[in-house]
Amino acid sequence: MKILVTGSSGLLGSDIVFTLKKNNIEVIRQRRRPENGFIAADITTADGIATIAGLEWDAVIHSAALKDPDKCENEKDATFRTNVYATEKLAGLAEARKAKFIYISTDYVFPGTNPPYSEEDRPSPVNVYGESKLKGEEKVSSICKDYRILRVPILYGIRAGLKHSALLYSPLSVLLSGKECPMEDSIIRYPTYTGDVADAVLLLLRKGASGIYQFSGEDKLTKLGICKLIAEIFNLKMNNIIRLEKPPEGETVRPHDSHLKTDKIMSLGMNTPLPFRERLEMLRKEGFLKI
Ligand SMILES: NC(=O)c1ccc[n+]([C@@H]2O[C@H](COP(=O)([O-])OP(=O)(O)OC[C@H]3O[C@@H](n4cnc5c(N)ncnc54)[C@H](OP(=O)(O)O)[C@@H]3O)[C@@H](O)[C@H]2O)c1
């Protein structure tokens, strides 16, 4: 089997490629910008889609997206071209050659007012990013016969380099800078390790019926909580961090708590993820997480 991984230079795509290769699966790595070892293709253009159509693959893991909620809010057209139009085109290519299609989606398809959410709960996104990813899901499920949609919450990882992992990099930079910084303590996040998501993708590739699946870490933390935990692990002081009771005025609206139920993927044999602290301590011990 030869698998096309879109967005394979990204935070998640790089771990998906790593896991597939470790399991002796042949991979085609795609990204937008040219780089050795990657197929460069802008999936928002007809040329980019033609490039991908000209390659030999028999399954697609579609991880490429615009994922920054603030940017998406301000760049709605680019967001819809990337997250909806390109997804529609890629799903069409996969269906034409009867290839399995795995689409990476998000907990932001839910409003975050009544967690936890199951795969069957009705999505109702509160921002442009969530709306575009939900529309992407709808394209995939209406075009492909053999698809898997995998919803995940906020991710962290090290494979693409620490700077790609805002969840780790931002608090670390702020803590190390010593400069005063406000940090929000209300929106609930469930940090999820990209290596675990890559395992979930592999599981869905090998098992599982067509449909929607969800996977999530189980640590319930705000941005401030994440920062405190990172400060403890690296023995850094929190003196420069100012607690904000709610998100700053004018910030893009985010779901308050979009906790995902994971029983469906767990029943396929997915391993329980390591707690956030344990994973960070392990990455640190192994030398992947350095300051
Ligand atoms: N990160 C999270 O916390 C999170 C949470 C939930 C769900 N997700 C979902 O997980 C998936 C992966 O996210 P990520 O964090 O790995 O993203 P990322 O680090 O921002 O990487 C995005 C990837 O997509 C590629 N890409 C973007 N626009 C493209 C275009 N027009 N044409 C071709 N390639 C393009 C980028 O290529 P270049 O590097 O060449 O630009 C890069 O390889 C996304 O579907 C996202 O919605 C992410």
Side-chain angles (χ1 to χ4, degrees):
M1 189 185 317
K2 199 190 259 187
I3 300 185
L4 169 74
V5 181
T6 72
S8 58
S9 59
L11 174 65
L12 175 60
S14 54
D15 250 318
I16 293 176
V17 168
F18 179 82
T19 297
L20 295 179
K21 285 190 167 173
K22 207 170 68 181
N23 283 272
N24 299 315
I25 297 172
E26 217 179 323
V27 176
I28 301 177
R29 297 193 292 170
Q30 174 277 344
R31 67 178 296 178
R32 178 175 29 189
R33 280 169 285 153
E35 189 188 330
N36 267 350
F38 290 83
I39 298 290
D42 183 342
I43 55 173
T44 63
T45 66
D47 275 0
I49 295 297
T51 300
I52 288 173
L55 303 169
E56 266 181 42
W57 41 262
D58 27 38
V60 180
I61 297 166
H62 180 32
S63 186
L66 293 188
K67 58 118 190 245
D68 177 339
D70 301 321
K71 273 199 183 154
C72 291
E73 211 64 19
N74 295 324
E75 297 170 21
K76 190 167 179 180
D77 283 357
T79 301
F80 272 70
R81 277 198 79 70
T82 312
N83 296 356
V84 187
Y85 164 88
T87 299
E88 179 179 16
K89 295 292 165 198
L90 292 169
L93 292 184
E95 188 54 24
R97 60 178 89 172
K98 307 247 171 296
K100 198 175 271 183
F101 195 86
I102 301 187
Y103 174 68
I104 309 296
S105 191
T106 170
D107 59 335
Y108 274 32
V109 297
F110 292 115
T113 44
N114 192 24
Y117 293 98
S118 83
E119 287 82 354
E120 281 74 40
D121 284 326
R122 206 170 71 82
S124 176
V126 295
N127 60 29
V128 168
Y129 170 62
E131 203 190 318
S132 69
K133 293 296 289 186
L134 177 60
K135 289 225 156 35
E137 287 191 5
E138 289 164 359
K139 294 291 181 194
V140 173
S141 58
S142 65
I143 293 169
C144 299
K145 285 199 184 65
D146 194 6
Y147 73 89
R148 317 278 185 270
I149 289 166
L150 178 62
R151 294 182 184 141
V152 291
I154 190 160
L155 304 176
Y156 68 96
I158 42 83
R159 193 78 49 200
L162 195 57
K163 277 195 182 170
H164 273 78
S165 190
L167 183 129
L168 303 176
Y169 186 71
S170 313
L172 264 176
S173 320
V174 165
L175 289 167
L176 288 168
S177 78
K179 284 189 196 143
E180 248 183 37
C181 180
M183 198 145 308
E184 181 263 299
D185 192 24
S186 64
I187 294 179
I188 309 295
R189 294 165 165 91
Y190 298 86
T192 299
Y193 180 52
T194 48
D196 293 334
V197 178
D199 288 342
V201 167
L202 182 64
L203 183 72
L204 291 182
L205 197 63
R206 291 177 164 163
K207 288 186 185 184
S210 208
I212 301 176
Y213 295 82
Q214 300 182 159
F215 178 70
S216 174
E218 294 301 339
D219 293 84
K220 184 174 177 175
L221 293 160
T222 63
K223 231 180 191 178
L224 184 72
I226 292 169
C227 188
K228 269 187 190 156
L229 199 146
I230 290 176
E232 278 169 29
I233 287 179
F234 287 97
N235 206 13
L236 297 168
K237 292 209 162 40
M238 290 275 292
N239 304 349
N240 59 325
I241 308 295
I242 300 153
R243 177 176 179 269
L244 283 186
E245 251 176 55
K246 49 184 184 175
E249 285 293 315
E251 197 173 76
T252 306
V253 180
R254 285 165 167 77
H256 176 70
D257 182 349
S258 43
H259 192 201
L260 297 171
K261 287 188 183 172
T262 60
D263 337 15
K264 191 174 169 187
I265 198 160
M266 289 303 173
S267 72
L268 290 181
M270 182 65 201
N271 291 327
T272 305
L274 273 188
F276 185 45
R277 179 189 290 274
E278 272 180 52
R279 175 62 72 189
L280 290 188
E281 277 166 353
M282 179 182 281
L283 290 173
R284 191 176 182 205
K285 214 189 272 170
E286 289 170 348
F288 290 115
L289 200 54
K290 291 185 232 171
I291 56 169

